[in-house]
Amino acid sequence: MASWGTDSSRPRRRALSPITGRILALNLVALGVLVAGLLYLGEYRKNLIAAELAALGKQAEMSAAAIGEGSVITGSSEPAVGHQALSPADARQMVRRLVEPTDTRARLFGADGVLIVDSRMLFGPGGMVQVEELPPPDDKSGVIEELLAFYDFIVTLIPGFEPLPAYRENSIQQAADYREVVGALNGDVTHAVRTTERGMMLTAAAPVQRYKQVLGALMLSTDSRGIDNALYDVRLDILKVFAVALSVTVLLSLYLASTIARPIRRLADAAESVRHARNRSVVIPTFPGRDDEIGELAQVLNEMTEALWQRMDAIEGFAADVAHEIKNPLTSLHSAVETISRVSDPAQQRKLMGIIQDDVRRLDRLITDISDASRLDAELSRAELEAVNLSGLLGVVVDIQRTTGAGGPDIALDIPGEREFRVRGIEGRLVQVFRNLIANAVSFSPPGGKIAVRAQERPGAVEIEIVDEGPGIPAGKERDIFERFYSERPVGEKYGTHSGLGLSISKQIVETHGGRVWAENRLDEAGNTRGARFVVWLPIL
């Protein structure tokens, strides 16, 4: 038993349509890649570090020069007469004064690599005290901080990323612990960048010299709070812009998806309703305000639905016509069979048997033509069209008619210049069309009449006409003769010889090939009918 309810095989409708999800995903991925690239700020970070190191190096050079001028003692007794060295007491005082206005840490190493001064070490009556500078209160958003920290961690996983060395500080510091100090003791100004738990440690070392003699090395160090804050501010601005862009992208994506998914869903619902409907009460929406692919799809679906309804009407009409046409010979056959059993006259029996045989032949002809007409649609939809030489095809059809129709009207074929008119179609069905039309002209031609078959080129098409000298077409019946089971036969022809499907089948074949077929009367100057003219128009290849 057929079910007219909702098809359980249809996928369950989701709150967020797949099209909306895909549009959102694509737009968000594109925006995310762009923001990820902006957040990287690799070159900007390198420039900030380079600028900080350059400033730190200049400060180290100036401080080292000042120490070399004011914290050097010269030996006056044997064996150190004229020997120059750094004065630890003077150096401590000067180093502390030099770095006090800044946020840098200064460490002074002697020429032997021993640490002389550390600005974070204070000497007092109770001994040495180490000053540890506490970081300022963190006013950054925890969520954003964690997000950026996670992003930085992901960046470190990218192939080619070179991590910085870690900063380590021994309890007893030596010049050998820091490569930049070693370089400064060799007379060079060097820099280094290392990582700490709080960020980066930037250092610069400059030689302390007196008359070109290296007496020690001054190393200045500072953390990366200024750089990190600058990067954080820039990234925060980027994230703010990203939040606005994300909101706009999501809203536009939802709007775009709604203009696509919602109409398609309406079309799907309408198609589902049409599938279950038993009448034409359901109408496919057409969206007349849209001139895009959705509007075109809606229009095509609407036209397709209308074509299907017309096809169903045609099938119902065809079934009714078939029943009507078969009923007539069956009724006659039934009457003849009932009568022959009650008639004893041999002549009457032979007459009734003749009627029975005619009705059987008529039924056989009807069933054959109906079967051919029923298969035609399916065959035309499955067959592949190929190039057909229409000139050669007409020549073969005319030759066959001349051979099989001996004693009939004279048939003349006229193709100008022996041209080869090529069309795309099904050769066997085109042969059927022209055989039907020529046979129809033969049946209406008077004895000794002539039939002309002409082909000539028209703009983008080839036109074939079959002209006879018969009585013509009854007035007003030029269209009716192409209807199914319509039969307007010559006077004297035996009833039931033709099924009335030949011209209808021919019209269906021609229209399937993208052409047209029509009929008209030939009139002389006085307006008298001189015959009929059937015209077939096919698009040329």
Side-chain angles (χ1 to χ4, degrees):
M1 181 176 178
S3 175
W4 294 92
T6 303
D7 190 352
S8 59
S9 64
R10 280 194 73 191
R12 188 176 59 183
R13 179 173 295 174
R14 287 167 277 188
L16 182 67
S17 72
I19 291 179
T20 303
R22 292 189 185 99
I23 292 176
L24 274 173
L26 288 176
N27 289 337
L28 293 181
V29 165
L31 184 61
V33 170
L34 176 62
V35 171
L38 292 175
L39 288 175
Y40 179 57
L41 297 175
E43 290 300 321
Y44 180 64
R45 182 171 178 266
K46 290 179 181 178
N47 292 335
L48 290 177
I49 293 175
E52 186 72 18
L53 288 176
L56 198 62
K58 289 296 182 182
Q59 183 182 350
E61 286 185 82
M62 291 187 293
S63 299
I67 294 172
E69 291 293 332
S71 300
V72 177
I73 58 176
T74 304
S76 58
S77 59
E78 295 294 340
V81 177
H83 178 72
Q84 294 182 337
L86 293 174
S87 171
D90 295 338
R92 290 190 190 99
Q93 189 70 20
M94 184 169 287
V95 167
R96 191 169 295 110
R97 289 286 183 88
L98 288 172
V99 299
E100 186 176 0
T102 67
D103 292 331
T104 59
R105 177 184 181 184
R107 277 166 282 188
L108 179 63
F109 294 86
D112 57 357
V114 177
L115 178 64
I116 299 175
V117 180
D118 187 346
S119 63
R120 288 191 180 176
M121 297 293 183
L122 300 178
F123 292 90
M128 184 182 295
V129 178
Q130 182 176 356
V131 179
E132 184 70 27
E133 185 178 357
L134 298 177
D138 191 1
D139 57 352
K140 299 175 183 177
S141 173
V143 176
I144 297 179
E145 185 99 15
E146 292 179 3
L147 177 64
L148 293 176
F150 177 74
Y151 173 80
D152 290 334
F153 170 74
I154 295 298
V155 170
T156 61
L157 302 179
I158 299 176
F161 180 84
E162 296 181 1
L164 297 173
Y167 175 78
R168 293 184 179 87
E169 186 175 311
N170 297 323
S171 57
I172 301 177
Q173 302 182 54
Q174 299 288 332
D177 296 339
Y178 308 100
R179 59 179 178 82
E180 60 269 35
V181 176
V182 175
L185 291 176
N186 291 327
D188 299 324
V189 178
T190 55
H191 312 85
V193 181
R194 299 178 179 87
T195 59
T196 65
E197 294 180 357
R198 297 177 181 174
M200 294 181 294
M201 180 67 70
L202 284 69
T203 59
V208 178
Q209 303 180 78
R210 178 76 172 177
Y211 302 120
K212 300 297 182 181
Q213 181 184 355
V214 177
L215 304 178
L218 178 65
M219 183 177 75
L220 299 182
S221 60
T222 184
D223 57 26
S224 61
R225 279 179 294 175
I227 296 175
D228 294 339
N229 289 335
L231 288 174
Y232 179 83
D233 291 339
V234 173
R235 285 176 164 180
L236 186 60
D237 291 339
I238 292 175
L239 289 177
K240 290 178 181 178
V241 174
F242 169 69
V244 176
L246 178 64
S247 302
V248 173
T249 300
V250 170
L251 291 177
L252 290 179
S253 298
L254 293 175
Y255 170 74
L256 176 61
S258 67
T259 61
I260 297 175
R262 190 179 302 165
I264 291 179
R265 179 172 291 175
R266 286 184 59 191
L267 291 175
D269 292 340
E272 183 74 9
S273 300
V274 169
R275 185 167 74 94
H276 294 298
R278 301 188 182 186
N279 52 47
R280 303 189 185 187
S281 59
V282 180
V283 179
I284 300 291
T286 57
F287 308 113
R290 301 189 62 148
D291 57 353
D292 55 5
E293 288 79 0
I294 299 294
E296 183 179 353
L297 174 63
Q299 184 65 29
V300 171
L301 283 177
N302 196 54
E303 294 174 355
M304 182 190 70
T305 304
E306 186 62 29
L308 288 175
W309 282 118
Q310 291 177 1
R311 182 65 58 87
M312 292 177 64
D313 291 342
I315 293 173
E316 293 177 358
F318 182 72
D321 293 341
V322 167
H324 176 74
E325 292 297 321
I326 291 179
K327 186 176 181 180
N328 289 335
L330 282 177
T331 302
S332 175
L333 187 62
H334 181 265
S335 299
V337 170
E338 283 188 345
T339 304
I340 197 171
S341 62
R342 296 194 299 267
V343 174
S344 57
D345 184 7
Q348 290 292 330
Q349 288 180 347
R350 284 194 299 271
K351 183 177 180 181
L352 290 172
M353 286 300 298
I355 293 174
I356 292 172
Q357 291 173 357
D358 288 342
D359 288 337
V360 169
R361 282 193 294 268
R362 184 182 174 192
L363 280 173
D364 179 67
R365 184 165 49 254
L366 274 173
I367 292 172
T368 301
D369 290 346
I370 290 169
S371 176
D372 188 31
S374 300
R375 292 195 309 268
L376 184 60
D377 267 347
E379 180 183 337
L380 291 176
S381 64
R382 290 194 303 264
E384 294 185 3
L385 303 182
E386 57 184 11
V388 178
N389 181 4
L390 200 58
S391 303
L393 183 148
L394 290 173
V396 171
V397 172
V398 170
D399 289 341
I400 292 174
Q401 186 62 41
R402 287 170 179 168
T403 302
T404 58
D410 181 35
I411 303 176
L413 177 62
D414 181 14
I415 299 178
E418 300 299 326
R419 283 202 52 187
E420 287 191 1
F421 296 109
R422 291 189 174 273
V423 299
R424 185 174 296 279
I426 306 170
E427 186 174 16
R429 288 300 181 177
L430 291 177
V431 169
Q432 181 181 1
V433 170
F434 294 112
R435 289 198 65 179
N436 283 345
L437 295 179
I438 293 175
N440 184 76
V442 169
S443 65
F444 282 96
S445 293
K450 295 181 179 180
I451 297 175
V453 179
R454 304 187 186 97
Q456 51 190 334
E457 186 174 357
R458 299 297 184 198
V462 57
E463 184 180 279
I464 303 97
E465 63 175 4
I466 295 95
V467 180
D468 62 47
E469 297 178 344
I473 304 168
K477 299 295 183 179
E478 290 83 355
R479 293 179 178 271
D480 295 343
I481 61 175
F482 291 101
E483 297 295 328
R484 286 191 300 265
F485 301 112
Y486 180 88
S487 183
E488 190 75 38
R489 304 311 305 168
V491 178
E493 183 179 274
K494 189 174 181 181
Y495 175 73
T497 305
H498 294 83
S499 63
L501 288 173
L503 293 181
S504 174
I505 291 175
S506 299
K507 180 175 180 288
Q508 186 177 359
I509 294 172
V510 171
E511 290 179 348
T512 303
H513 283 73
R516 295 182 293 120
V517 59
W518 67 92
E520 57 191 18
N521 286 321
R522 296 170 54 234
L523 305 176
D524 57 15
E525 296 179 357
N528 298 319
T529 301
R530 305 293 296 176
R533 177 175 177 263
F534 284 79
V535 182
V536 176
W537 182 94
L538 290 171
I540 201 167
L541 185 62

